[in-house]
Amino acid sequence: MNKRIKHILKLFIYHIGKILAKPQEKWLRAKNIFLNIDTVKKFKSCGTNFCIAPPFYLWYEQYMEIGDNFCSSPGLRMECIKEYNGTEYDAPQLIIGNNVSCNYYCHIGSLNKIVIGDNVMLGSRVLIEDHSHGTTDDLDTPIAKRKLHSKGPIISEDNVWIGENACILENVRIGKCSIIG
């Protein structure tokens, strides 16, 4: 490729970047992933160097606190459940520390409280949920119509690696420097 074509391509890329980064466009560029600024503002708090690759699903972001250097591959589903099937619940908490990475198709659902410490890695298709559909008292009710129930929070301390396809369920504490396979 000659110098003139390289120069034209550099100018083109430069100007496209400027167009996409205009403040009135309401988009935030983080690690080459474009996020709607209005979505980021909905979080209770959100650190720097934030990156979620689309597609992603977020529900009740106002109860989520995310630290610095959070990164997710496509397919992330994070939800704080304030209401389900017409039942209102107390304010859920989802607290994610610094330097946390989620691989493909992770699902994190909080009805009560989930805390993920600093320097935590989640493999692909990890499920972290602090609740279930009902208790043994309502077995005659169809599962989808049962009230949600939590036996307690999930706490993951610092420097944890949760491997692919792991399921972390309610009322669990994962100690510092643990590996879940």
Side-chain angles (χ1 to χ4, degrees):
M1 191 180 307
N2 69 32
K3 288 182 180 181
R4 183 176 173 153
I5 293 173
K6 283 182 183 178
H7 179 70
I8 290 170
L9 281 173
K10 282 182 182 178
L11 284 173
F12 176 75
I13 292 168
Y14 171 79
H15 288 293
I16 289 297
K18 286 189 75 114
I19 289 168
L20 292 175
K22 284 183 179 177
Q24 67 268 23
E25 297 273 347
K26 290 190 174 183
W27 290 92
L28 172 68
R29 184 175 178 157
K31 284 192 174 182
N32 300 322
I33 304 296
F34 292 91
L35 298 170
N36 187 307
I37 289 175
D38 294 333
T39 300
V40 174
K41 286 181 180 177
K42 288 180 186 177
F43 289 108
K44 185 172 183 179
S45 66
C46 183
T48 60
N49 206 17
F50 179 85
C51 170
I52 297 180
F56 57 87
Y57 172 82
L58 303 171
W59 195 21
Y60 285 106
E61 302 94 320
Q62 65 267 31
Y63 299 107
M64 298 177 190
E65 301 174 44
I66 299 176
D68 294 332
N69 304 315
F70 176 81
C71 189
S72 171
S73 298
L76 176 68
R77 178 177 166 189
M78 285 196 312
E79 52 198 9
C80 287
I81 301 166
K82 180 75 174 125
E83 181 274 329
Y84 179 77
N85 268 354
T87 302
E88 292 280 328
Y89 297 95
D90 292 336
Q93 290 180 290
L94 176 54
I95 302 165
I96 297 176
N98 298 321
N99 308 312
V100 172
S101 64
C102 300
N103 215 323
Y104 293 89
Y105 301 102
C106 289
H107 177 184
I108 303 169
S110 176
L111 176 71
N112 180 350
K113 181 178 184 179
I114 294 176
V115 177
I116 297 174
D118 295 338
N119 307 307
V120 173
M121 291 189 337
L122 303 172
S124 297
R125 294 177 299 282
V126 168
L127 171 69
I128 301 175
E129 249 181 13
D130 69 351
H131 60 280
S132 58
H133 287 266
T135 64
T136 55
D137 296 335
D138 55 3
L139 294 177
D140 292 333
T141 306
I143 294 170
K145 296 189 185 277
R146 294 179 190 170
K147 290 183 180 179
L148 299 178
H149 175 74
S150 178
K151 292 180 183 175
I154 295 172
I155 310 294
S156 171
E157 295 179 3
D158 297 343
N159 303 316
V160 169
W161 175 18
I162 301 174
E164 189 165 332
N165 294 317
C167 294
I168 311 297
L169 301 178
E170 54 200 312
N171 201 24
V172 168
R173 176 176 289 273
I174 300 169
K176 188 175 182 177
C177 300
S178 294
I179 299 173
I180 308 295

